[in-house]
Amino acid sequence: MTDTSGASARARGTARVWEALGGDPALLSRVRYGGEGGLPSALPVMELARAAVAGCSLAAAEFAARRPEGGSVPGVRVDDGAVTAAFLSDRLVRVNGVAPTAFAPLSRFWRTADGWVRTHANYPHHRARLLAALGLPDRAGANADAEAEAVAAELAARRALEVEETVYAAGGLAVAVRGPEEWAAHEQGALSAKHPLLTVERLGGGPRRSPAAPAAPAVGTPSPVAGLRVLDLTRVLAGPIATRTLALLGADVLRVDDPGLAESQDVYDDTGLGKRSTLLDLRGSGVDRRVFEELLARADVVVLGYRPGALEQLPGLSPEELAARRPGLVIGRLSAWGRYGPWAARRGFDSLVQAATGIAVTEAAGADAPGALPTQALDHATGYLLAAGVLRALTDRCEEGGARLVDVALARTAAWLTQGLEKDAPRQEPLPYDPEPWITETDSPRGRLRHALPPVLLDGGPSNWARPSGLWGVDTPEWL
């Protein structure tokens, strides 16, 4: 059943996203709202989630109408139940009934001499750098509680900003917890507030390229982006969520990782739906690099999700160089803090952006310790915004040709959440929510996979990914 009473209120966020994407406002009438869900928070997290998914869905519907078989823009259904499950997908996923590992013991809030810091040490190299920055020994496999006590004692004797700078200088991840006013006064915070939600930049020439005409499927109608090839150079959540969405819509998505930088299989169980995954060393000019160039020569989209400067240090991997070698390429790119200001080159994750931008203080709601959003909403929302930007760039390319660069940042999404969306006056109290209608199970190379269904719902489908997530890094580096 469609909820008409709250449709106009629900549509306001969608309209803002669609305006940021440069879409035709007349297409907003194609979106209808309904369902029950919720992400209780002091901030309008549900509004953020709904708007990001709606904008992405409408961009997919618009592109679907460009297919050779033509037709009008299909309708879009935004169901709050599906959106809620999707934003909790990394917590709902199960393999053979086993839940994934969430945050590592050293990834958390810590009290300092003058406040709080948030650290991120889920990956072994980040954990090692954190301990080195604090002058503590790295005893892998040692008692986790004893190690956490040593870190807590060391941080309690230091000031939060000192920890932030010391750990960053060592290549680790730690951010001082700031209130909203402190972040607004910070140079990076002020710049984030001024920048648009996302940007789309033309990178040069290239042919007008309409969607390919894939072979007719055995059942149903062709998927909206069937025939497109996507190189996925992303990690963790936001980038992989964007490419997971493109895979849902029918793209051939090949994730490419460095053999020396392992990904969590637990994370890939959730974000690898519909994709394949391979390992290529792009640092030299050997066989792996030649394979990558062959893949690039037939790619339609490349999505970049590494820290600013990381890929650009490798020859030929800047957006400008990629577009020069593959005219008409659409490039999606994301960062934690934005590619401007004093933090442009800094590493970051959703939890750290929440801590720095005042969200953790707002979510504390008077509690002694900082709080957090009910989901890694910045990652999820930014992922759908990035997918939306790529889809709109593909549509524009059909008319005007040329390569495009779509840019998003977690800190910019945070600014929209804290300043740009209409806020509910009271904190939302938890409501009964059953994700079961939006959960499915399937067999996978890892065993019985249980995962959230997609929230991008177009009239005519698709309603699920064509393939389950598999084993990270084992697929052949070739297009289907």
Side-chain angles (χ1 to χ4, degrees):
M1 182 172 124
T2 301
D3 172 14
T4 55
S5 62
S8 60
R10 294 179 177 187
R12 283 194 287 268
T14 305
R16 294 185 186 185
V17 170
W18 197 237
E19 180 181 13
L21 290 165
D24 179 358
L27 293 181
L28 290 167
S29 63
R30 306 300 295 164
V31 186
R32 61 191 189 277
Y33 303 88
E36 295 182 359
L39 296 165
S41 169
L43 292 165
V45 176
M46 192 64 212
E47 287 77 0
L48 173 77
R50 185 190 301 119
V53 168
C56 180
S57 302
L58 189 55
E62 179 189 37
F63 186 73
R66 299 282 179 171
R67 299 210 61 84
E69 59 270 20
S72 61
V73 175
V76 168
R77 180 166 60 95
V78 179
D79 189 296
D80 279 6
V83 172
T84 301
F87 270 61
L88 295 170
S89 67
D90 49 306
R91 304 181 188 188
L92 295 174
V93 68
R94 300 286 186 273
V95 176
N96 297 325
V98 179
T101 301
F103 286 98
L106 300 187
S107 297
R108 65 180 230 200
F109 290 109
W110 307 85
R111 193 183 288 277
T112 64
D114 62 343
W116 294 85
V117 294
R118 176 93 194 212
T119 57
H120 194 287
N122 282 10
Y123 290 100
H125 58 293
H126 291 153
R127 173 182 170 276
R129 292 168 186 172
L130 172 64
L131 293 172
L134 299 178
L136 297 173
D138 183 359
R139 298 190 180 97
N143 183 280
D145 291 339
E147 187 172 68
E149 289 177 5
V151 171
E154 184 64 32
L155 292 175
R158 300 191 185 207
R159 298 175 66 83
L161 290 178
E162 175 210 342
V163 174
E164 179 178 273
E165 293 304 319
T166 300
V167 174
Y168 166 70
L173 291 150
V175 167
V177 174
R178 293 169 170 83
E181 297 80 10
E182 292 176 273
W183 181 244
H186 191 281
E187 183 180 353
Q188 195 68 35
L191 288 170
S192 293
K194 293 177 181 177
H195 274 72
L197 182 59
L198 56 83
T199 60
V200 182
E201 173 188 352
R202 186 161 179 166
L203 287 184
R208 286 182 294 184
R209 194 175 297 163
S210 297
V219 178
T221 57
S223 297
V225 301
L228 264 80
R229 300 184 179 97
V230 179
L231 282 173
D232 176 3
L233 279 69
T234 69
R235 289 175 64 79
V236 196
L237 283 186
I241 285 169
T243 51
R244 182 182 70 183
T245 303
L246 297 175
L248 165 74
L249 297 169
D252 181 8
V253 178
L254 181 62
R255 174 162 165 169
V256 178
D257 283 275
D258 189 302
L261 196 59
E263 178 60 288
S264 163
Q265 180 65 53
D266 281 350
V267 172
Y268 189 69
D269 289 336
D270 173 47
T271 62
L273 293 161
K275 308 179 191 178
R276 293 174 299 123
S277 167
T278 195
L279 303 178
L280 294 174
D281 185 350
L282 305 183
R283 290 169 291 186
S285 57
V287 173
D288 281 8
R289 186 55 189 258
R290 291 197 294 274
V291 170
F292 177 81
E293 293 300 325
E294 292 170 1
L295 292 168
L296 176 65
R298 299 175 63 198
D300 298 285
V301 177
V302 176
V303 184
L304 309 174
Y306 286 74
R307 172 180 58 86
L311 287 174
E312 287 86 347
Q313 292 175 0
L314 305 179
L317 291 184
S318 71
E320 293 77 12
E321 291 168 315
L322 291 170
R325 299 202 303 285
R326 177 61 167 154
L329 187 69
V330 171
I331 300 166
R333 186 174 67 172
L334 68 96
S335 61
W337 307 105
R339 294 172 184 269
Y340 39 78
W343 286 17
R346 292 202 175 192
R347 299 171 177 85
F349 290 90
D350 181 304
S351 59
L352 301 182
V353 177
Q354 288 189 41
T357 59
I359 292 173
V361 170
T362 301
E363 290 298 315
D368 180 54
L373 297 175
T375 170
Q376 296 189 70
L378 304 182
D379 266 332
H380 285 271
T382 304
Y384 288 109
L385 290 171
L386 180 56
V390 166
L391 290 163
R392 284 248 61 246
L394 288 166
T395 296
D396 286 345
R397 190 184 68 175
C398 295
E399 297 180 355
E400 302 175 6
R404 300 289 192 282
L405 173 61
V406 181
D407 233 330
V408 295
L410 299 183
R412 182 56 202 137
T413 303
W416 189 46
L417 173 64
T418 57
Q419 302 170 33
L421 283 164
E422 295 183 31
K423 302 176 178 60
D424 291 333
R427 168 184 283 265
Q428 295 179 27
E429 294 302 322
L431 297 173
Y433 170 70
D434 180 8
E436 284 302 314
W438 301 103
I439 300 290
T440 190
E441 289 191 8
T442 186
D443 290 323
S444 79
R446 287 255 290 156
R448 192 65 177 169
L449 176 67
R450 176 179 168 86
H451 66 85
L453 287 165
V456 175
L457 304 171
L458 277 60
D459 291 348
S463 59
N464 199 356
W465 287 271
R467 67 173 71 221
S469 51
L471 298 174
W472 173 81
V474 303
D475 293 299
T476 304
E478 62 186 15
W479 297 118
L480 295 176

